[in-house]
Amino acid sequence: MKLAAILFFFCSLSLQAQFQISGIIKDTNTKKVLPFASITDTHGFSTIAEADGKFNFITNSQSEILTISYIGYEPKTITTLETKSFFTIYLLPKTVALEEVAISNTTLANAIIAKVILKKQNNNPQKKFRTFQFKSYNKILITANPDSIIGKIDTLFVNAANKVILSKIDSSDYKFKKIIDKQHLFLTEKVSLFQFEKPLLKETILGTKMAGFKEPIYEFLGFNLQSLSIYDERYELFETKYKSPISRSAFNEYKFKILDSTFVDHREVVVLYFKNKSSNGLEGLLYIDTENYAIAKAVMRIRGILDIKGIHEFTYLPEEKLWFPMRNNFKLVKGKSKVPTKILGGRIEFAAENEETNSKKTASDYTYISSEIHVFDLKINPNLKINTSSVKIEVQDNANNRDDVFWNQNRVDSLDRRSERTYTVLDSIITKKKIEKKIIFGRRVINGYVPFGPFDFDLRYLLSYNNFEGFRPGIGGITNENLSKKVRIEGYTAYGLKDENIKYNLGTGVRVGNYSNTWIGGSYTDDIREVASTIFATDKRVFKIYDSRPINISTFFNFKTWRGYIETKIIPKTDTIWQFSQSFINPLFNYAFNYNGNLYTSFNMTTTMLCLQWNPFSDFMQTQNGKIEYEKRYPKFALQFTKSLSNFGNNDFDFGKIDARIEYEKKYLNGQKSAFLVQAGYAYGALPLTHLYNTSPNNLNIDKLLQRITIAGKNSFETMYFNEFFSSEYVMFQLKHGFKRVELFSKVKPTLVLVTRMAWGTMQHPERHVGIDYKTLERGFFESGIEMNQIYKGFGLTGFYRYGPNQLPRLEDNLTVKFSFIFDFGF
């Protein structure tokens, strides 16, 4: 879901009888800006400039004298009677030894921060209190200030042969100004109950309204625009975590300077400016209580592609002798970027910076995102018990159906005219244009479904190809909630043009638990599967326009399987599937299994299986539609155990299998990403080759290198030939590091990824497998390579080299060059 053109520049203007003075403050000698300088009027009211030296000062009098001061500089006064709309103010460094002043300032600032860090435990509500709870009102806007937009209709009068012609040039600014003057672009409100029981903080959403939507987009409710606590070791600002300026290693990351002293809640505070030593880190202000060294106010700022500011305001609780957070403010404005920037998981796109001097501004140059959170009904140390602690956010079933009485009681301020009209207009537009239905449609298409009434057609089955079946056309899908939210029916049928056989599946399920999203169901399948492949039952369905590996696979087995299952999320942060199945297996290649003196060319299997996908570090939201993993974090763990039932259903063999996987990803502030994957399997007992391990090979056994050029897989061994290695137990590792995209030309922006893979394995009872030649992995398999992804419109190129004990004699047999393709839906 894309909300296009959300970028911006914000100028806050005065109201009616108020007057605004704007300007920038610089050093007289260096002409560099002075961040966070103090501006004070004759009445004692003061404000602080932004990190870029700019300020907006609102006064009730057109005639005002302002004093601008900065540590180590001579103060300067200006009068607002001067006929200027924007002041450039230069401050002169003091004649005293500035280096000595700077050293003294830094030393004292560091001493204050050291005390703040030392007393964090006493000043942090989540460390000092056993329990507390409060309600909060949160309003998020996507909007613009209409007064910052030039609302002219550009026209040109031309006198041609005594004829006056009115030529309309452009009126887009005028139209946008007319729209934004009456309404916002987007508005959502949320009332929540926060409950803290050491060490857990849970949010229960009591009411929510999202302009234009009957049911809110639940993932949007889980976006964390800024950290709730200022005392965490890492501070989060708009989906990115930074080392906190009051973390234990703060002095390694930040420089500090005293700016001023003032009062908050009638208590004296000292104002410290902090800046990360790197160019892309946090900077801002900390207002520190001079008595208990607690944070009384904080301003956190990031300037770059996006210009983001988070403000934390606290109130002092005299009885508890503690500052408690009472108001958070977040604002995101347009930064500078030569390429479009996507945020909020791609839901919002910011236009690229246009460097043409005479280019016209677009709506995204004026637009901004704003969020305010107000805390009320605070209770310290109440008697409470948090249930379902694994769910960080719980949405009440009636949260999106609250009446006006509820909202009037819980809103901090009544809605203004523009906000009220936003609900009216967007409700009408989204209903008229069926946008909500289009969003649902788009989500399903991304996942590979095309909804048609009560049925979602599955695009995976339309057409595929492999070496055994040739082209495989088909049709299939699953029923959706338009038929029933409690019952689902699914199935497919396909036909191989080469093997001339029909494959099909038919299944049904019943939902027996809304909260745990528990389904009980069964199915029958007659289809084929790659030999020795590993599939975790809990893996999410991933739609691919193409799937590279099956194109080149020729060794399959046919399975006819009855299956009964229970799938649930009742275990905290875990997807679980219990399964019972009975299968008839027929290898579709030259193979026989030699067991107890008998050669089996086909066999029966009756098995039970338990599969767990555990994401312990992710955050989950409970809705009326089930649990949602709204914040995905790593590492993630998968475990699958399969056991045959030797005395049930004509089962031929007694065996067991244990499969495990660990995934880890880390994203860096500079756009790079590292990924680590380890996967292992262990099979014991009497198990045919069809159900052992092949460690995902993806290379054709063809003599010439150029003839082996195909499409690369995601986690497959690109230099390992199909059917070259088999194992009854194995472990594989994969390391990837992706660098940020590099712009070589306007339309050529590749991503460089370095990849290393390795695997070890062995085969127990190799004499049992007759008819196929293969090698084992006792000495290990190693390959490394480079992926140049998305060079042009999703297409890329990869190259890998095979080395180590299983390296082949000819150099070119160890090399592989392949195409890659990453399809970007733009969502």
Side-chain angles (χ1 to χ4, degrees), residues 261-279:
S261 62
T262 184
F263 289 87
V264 178
D265 260 14
H266 306 292
R267 291 179 64 85
E268 186 177 4
V269 298
V270 60
V271 184
L272 263 67
Y273 168 60
F274 67 88
K275 182 175 176 59
N276 195 283
K277 294 178 181 179
S278 66
S279 58

Side-chain angles (χ1 to χ4, degrees), residues 535-580:
I535 298 175
F536 287 84
T538 53
D539 282 352
K540 303 297 182 184
R541 179 189 186 281
V542 177
F543 169 62
K544 299 179 181 178
I545 291 180
Y546 74 99
D547 193 355
S548 57
R549 289 192 68 257
I551 293 176
N552 302 311
I553 297 172
S554 56
T555 48
F556 291 87
F557 64 89
N558 172 251
F559 65 97
K560 297 179 173 65
T561 300
W562 290 97
R563 170 179 177 254
Y565 66 89
I566 299 175
E567 64 179 51
T568 182
K569 296 182 179 180
I570 195 169
I571 303 175
K573 299 192 175 186
T574 303
D575 287 353
T576 306
I577 293 181
W578 286 275
Q579 176 179 296
F580 168 83

Side-chain angles (χ1 to χ4, degrees), residues 268-408:
E268 186 177 4
V269 298
V270 60
V271 184
L272 263 67
Y273 168 60
F274 67 88
K275 182 175 176 59
N276 195 283
K277 294 178 181 179
S278 66
S279 58
N280 60 350
L282 279 174
E283 62 180 321
L285 300 175
L286 297 175
Y287 293 69
I288 299 170
D289 190 313
T290 57
E291 181 181 336
N292 60 11
Y293 294 95
I295 306 297
K297 182 179 178 180
V299 179
M300 316 296 267
R301 184 79 178 268
I302 286 291
R303 292 186 296 162
I305 296 175
L306 302 173
D307 194 347
I308 311 170
K309 180 167 65 175
I311 300 176
H312 298 255
E313 296 184 29
F314 298 74
T315 190
Y316 187 70
L317 306 178
E319 294 183 3
E320 288 78 14
K321 296 182 180 181
L322 181 132
W323 290 89
F324 197 90
M326 295 300 289
R327 183 173 180 265
N328 285 2
N329 182 279
F330 172 91
K331 187 165 288 183
L332 187 151
V333 302
K334 182 179 182 179
K336 294 182 179 180
S337 177
K338 295 181 181 180
V339 296
T341 304
K342 295 180 180 181
I343 60 174
L344 297 179
R347 289 169 172 81
I348 297 177
E349 180 178 334
F350 295 86
E353 184 80 8
N354 196 330
E355 296 181 352
E356 298 179 10
T357 55
N358 297 322
S359 64
K360 185 181 181 300
K361 288 186 175 182
T362 64
S364 68
D365 293 300
Y366 304 110
T367 312
Y368 65 90
I369 297 176
S370 173
S371 171
E372 288 190 6
I373 299 177
H374 296 267
V375 172
F376 60 98
D377 286 355
L378 173 63
K379 297 178 182 178
I380 303 297
N381 288 328
N383 185 18
L384 62 85
K385 180 69 176 177
I386 295 180
N387 297 319
T388 60
S389 58
S390 63
V391 177
K392 192 170 183 179
I393 300 177
E394 185 171 354
V395 184
Q396 288 192 347
D397 291 345
N398 61 340
N400 61 324
N401 295 315
R402 294 293 191 175
D403 57 20
D404 291 339
V405 174
F406 171 86
W407 290 106
N408 292 334

Side-chain angles (χ1 to χ4, degrees), residues 674-727:
S674 297
F676 172 75
L677 171 68
V678 56
Q679 187 166 310
Y682 173 69
Y684 60 91
L687 193 60
L689 188 75
T690 53
H691 288 67
L692 295 179
Y693 304 107
N694 62 13
T695 59
S696 296
N698 194 29
N699 199 14
L700 295 174
N701 193 8
I702 299 177
D703 187 57
K704 293 184 179 181
L705 175 63
L706 294 179
Q707 293 177 323
R708 297 198 298 268
I709 295 179
T710 55
I711 299 177
K714 182 181 180 182
N715 298 321
S716 53
F717 283 86
E718 302 301 331
T719 61
M720 183 186 292
Y721 296 103
F722 287 104
N723 303 325
E724 184 180 5
F725 296 92
F726 288 99
S727 305

Side-chain angles (χ1 to χ4, degrees), residues 469-718:
E469 294 177 292
F471 285 101
R472 172 178 161 145
I475 189 172
I478 187 171
T479 57
N480 55 44
E481 66 275 5
N482 290 331
L483 179 68
S484 174
K485 290 186 177 182
K486 297 289 186 181
V487 178
R488 66 187 183 197
I489 302 172
E490 56 188 322
Y492 67 85
T493 183
Y495 181 75
L497 299 182
K498 187 176 180 180
D499 69 333
E500 298 181 341
N501 279 326
I502 296 175
K503 293 85 181 176
Y504 64 94
N505 162 272
L506 183 64
T508 186
V510 179
R511 187 176 185 178
V512 296
N514 290 345
Y515 184 84
S516 59
N517 199 27
T518 300
W519 291 80
I520 297 177
S523 66
Y524 178 77
T525 305
D526 184 349
D527 206 339
I528 66 172
R529 177 176 160 181
E530 177 191 359
V531 61
S533 57
T534 302
I535 298 175
F536 287 84
T538 53
D539 282 352
K540 303 297 182 184
R541 179 189 186 281
V542 177
F543 169 62
K544 299 179 181 178
I545 291 180
Y546 74 99
D547 193 355
S548 57
R549 289 192 68 257
I551 293 176
N552 302 311
I553 297 172
S554 56
T555 48
F556 291 87
F557 64 89
N558 172 251
F559 65 97
K560 297 179 173 65
T561 300
W562 290 97
R563 170 179 177 254
Y565 66 89
I566 299 175
E567 64 179 51
T568 182
K569 296 182 179 180
I570 195 169
I571 303 175
K573 299 192 175 186
T574 303
D575 287 353
T576 306
I577 293 181
W578 286 275
Q579 176 179 296
F580 168 83
S581 63
Q582 190 172 35
S583 303
F584 174 74
I585 308 297
N586 181 29
L588 300 173
F589 59 103
N590 183 26
Y591 174 74
F593 184 54
N594 184 2
Y595 181 61
N596 288 338
N598 298 318
L599 287 178
Y600 291 85
T601 56
S602 61
F603 29 84
N604 293 302
M605 289 185 174
T606 304
T607 62
T608 60
M609 184 267 290
L610 170 64
C611 188
L612 303 172
Q613 175 67 48
W614 183 41
N615 305 335
F617 302 102
S618 294
D619 288 332
F620 291 82
M621 178 189 301
Q622 180 68 50
T623 74
Q624 60 182 350
N625 298 326
K627 288 187 179 72
I628 297 174
E629 185 184 5
Y630 71 91
E631 188 70 44
K632 297 180 181 179
R633 296 192 180 96
Y634 293 88
K636 297 184 175 185
F637 306 89
L639 178 65
Q640 184 166 280
F641 175 66
T642 306
K643 183 66 178 69
S644 65
L645 301 178
S646 57
N647 298 318
F648 188 87
N650 297 322
N651 184 64
D652 289 327
F653 313 119
D654 184 20
F655 63 87
K657 286 182 69 177
I658 302 173
D659 298 290
R661 181 181 64 201
I662 302 174
E663 300 172 274
Y664 180 78
E665 287 186 8
K666 179 177 176 59
K667 294 182 180 179
Y668 301 92
L669 297 178
N670 58 7
Q672 300 184 52
K673 183 175 77 170
S674 297
F676 172 75
L677 171 68
V678 56
Q679 187 166 310
Y682 173 69
Y684 60 91
L687 193 60
L689 188 75
T690 53
H691 288 67
L692 295 179
Y693 304 107
N694 62 13
T695 59
S696 296
N698 194 29
N699 199 14
L700 295 174
N701 193 8
I702 299 177
D703 187 57
K704 293 184 179 181
L705 175 63
L706 294 179
Q707 293 177 323
R708 297 198 298 268
I709 295 179
T710 55
I711 299 177
K714 182 181 180 182
N715 298 321
S716 53
F717 283 86
E718 302 301 331

Side-chain angles (χ1 to χ4, degrees), residues 68-80:
I68 294 88
S69 59
Y70 197 75
I71 294 292
Y73 288 78
E74 297 287 352
K76 187 173 184 178
T77 60
I78 62 171
T79 174
T80 59

